[in-house]
Amino acid sequence: MHVIFAFVGLFLLSFVADVSGAEQPNILFIFTDDHAAHAISCYDSKINKTPNLDRIGNEGIRFDNCFCTNGICGPSRAVILTGKYSHKNGFLRNGNRFDGNQLTFPKMLQMVGYETAVIGKWHLGEHQEPTGFSYSEVLVGQGPYYNPTMLRDDHGNGDRKKINYTGYTTDIITDLALDWLKEGRKSDKPFMLMYQHKAPHREWCPGPKYLTMYDDVEIPEPVNLFDDYEGRGTAAHTQDMTIEKTMTDRDLKLVPPPFLNEEQLKVWNAAYEPKNEAFRKANLQGKDLVRWKYQRYIKDYLRCVAAVDDNIGRVLDYLDEAGLAENTIVVYSSDQGFYLGDHGWFDKRFMYEESYRQPLMVRWPGKIQPGTVSKALVSNVDFAETFIDVAGLDQPRAMQGASLTPLFDGEIPEDWRKSHYYHYYEFEANSRTPHMVRRHRGVRTDRYKLIDFYNLGEYELYDLEKDPHEMQSVYDQPEYEEVQKLLKYELDRLAEELEVPDDRGSVPKNPVYKNNPPAQKPNAGKKKAS
Ligand code: CA
């Protein structure tokens, strides 16, 4: 034990001492990239069915109000590993490097005897070796949808091999996860496996079995597919993430993806070429064209989700067959949500509901009653705390979330959080950053949301009960005066409690619009809203 203490420092003494001899459950953390809750049928999706994901939600607990702290891929992963907000773990935006020396929940689980592995998407720096894992096999960077190269470390010692696979990445990641569960791990130890998909990330490339799925159906459109952003401020007007304007021919599969081999390309073209030919002939314009793009986008997105769902079914079946299901906590989540045509958008980043919300479902036989639903405000900053809690460890003071185990019975304890803090950083004033979403911070309660676009000097305020789609900011409307005051106070209080630096990560005060000047001076948002 003294070797471990020398490594992690004395402050761990208190919680390591707390571990009893009780049986530690296995933890299977199933994670996807950009999977919105409103594309999961047990979250009442109007557009698809996910029978295997539903097994997790229906046989355990479904959290309806799980929100990310910073809605973008790498940062969300860093929050999950560390239990700390971005300004504390140092990974504020994609392109940052994750400091693998900091304390993470996999390292803590290792200290109390867990065998830990990460298989699939890592996305915390291409050359960044995952730390805290006895086994890792991860995609290089984003990784392609087909024929991925993966970096494998058999012993968690930094000796990595590059391996090229042929096939569909979602299937391959699942095969590798199953191999590790069956033969790779030491069966006398409890395990924690992070089984992490690339899908359904852009550019939404379906697997060979799914290329024509949904061909004969029309997917319902979101109510605000043709949003004109009239009720919101500069940020909504100047983003670059609309289905109408931002999507490329590659996104829309008007050209095939670059990573297919000859045989795969033949199958791909056989599926897409007739559809593309019909599209070219139709010569669509205006709203008809947007509608077509939406259908193409959402069908490809849902095809990717269908492959994830089928593969998760394989893993759940294996847990049953191997007798592991009873003592394994299965958790499903995604790094953040996604706009599925909502507001006319794809992508994420904004604090609006569709991308701010994360799916979160937990199945733990014997400990969580099937069919439990929680409306508590929870977050990806709580995941690490939950995992170490179920393994019998106390929470280090540096972690900023809270274990979710007191919520597992569906009740909300009196002292549970009443508000949640969000902060998105990825915007460079002087160059073109992807999707051009302005920096913002914000606070959400069960009913209201205040968003502070601090570089613009603009606020937005939403009454989610009256305006669930966030179409009209009510900031500065007289009837919300008291709510507005309280939320501003709460936002500052949370920033102080979480120790957000005053400079908010060196934010330029007067950003220069070089490439993307505001199209118009929006008349809503900060000052008056009619
Ligand atoms: Ca993501």
Side-chain angles (χ1 to χ4, degrees), residues 33-34 73 201 335-336 348:
D33 197 312
D34 295 354
C73 310
H201 193 276
D335 53 357
Q336 78 290 307
K348 53 257 180 177

Coordinates of all heavy atoms in Angstrom, one line a residue, residues 33-34 73 201 335-336 348, ligand 1:
D33 N -20.7 9.7 -28.6 CA -20.3 11.1 -28.9 C -21.4 11.8 -29.7 O -21.8 11.3 -30.8 CB -19.0 11.0 -29.8 CG -18.3 12.3 -29.8 OD1 -19.0 13.4 -30.0 OD2 -17.1 12.3 -29.6
D34 N -22.0 12.8 -29.0 CA -23.0 13.6 -29.7 C -24.4 12.9 -29.8 O -25.2 13.2 -30.7 CB -22.6 14.0 -31.1 CG -21.4 15.0 -31.1 OD1 -21.0 15.4 -30.1 OD2 -21.0 15.3 -32.2
C73 N -16.8 17.9 -27.1 CA -16.3 16.6 -26.9 C -15.2 16.4 -25.9 O -15.4 15.8 -24.9 CB -15.9 16.0 -28.3 SG -17.1 16.2 -29.6
H201 N -21.1 10.8 -34.1 CA -20.4 12.1 -34.4 C -20.5 12.4 -35.9 O -20.6 11.5 -36.7 CB -19.0 12.0 -33.9 CG -18.2 13.3 -33.9 ND1 -17.6 13.8 -35.0 CD2 -18.0 14.1 -32.9 CE1 -17.1 15.0 -34.7 NE2 -17.2 15.2 -33.4
D335 N -21.3 12.4 -24.5 CA -20.5 13.6 -24.0 C -21.3 14.9 -23.9 O -21.0 15.7 -23.1 CB -19.2 13.8 -24.8 CG -19.4 13.9 -26.3 OD1 -20.5 13.8 -26.8 OD2 -18.4 14.1 -27.0
Q336 N -22.3 15.0 -24.8 CA -23.3 16.1 -24.6 C -24.4 15.7 -25.6 O -24.3 14.6 -26.2 CB -22.7 17.5 -24.9 CG -22.5 17.9 -26.3 CD -21.3 17.2 -27.0 OE1 -20.2 17.2 -26.5 NE2 -21.6 16.6 -28.1
K348 N -23.5 21.4 -31.5 CA -23.8 21.4 -30.0 C -23.3 22.8 -29.5 O -23.7 23.8 -29.9 CB -23.1 20.3 -29.3 CG -21.6 20.1 -29.6 CD -21.2 19.0 -30.6 CE -19.7 18.9 -30.8 NZ -19.4 17.8 -31.7
Ligands
CA1 CA -19.3 15.3 -28.7

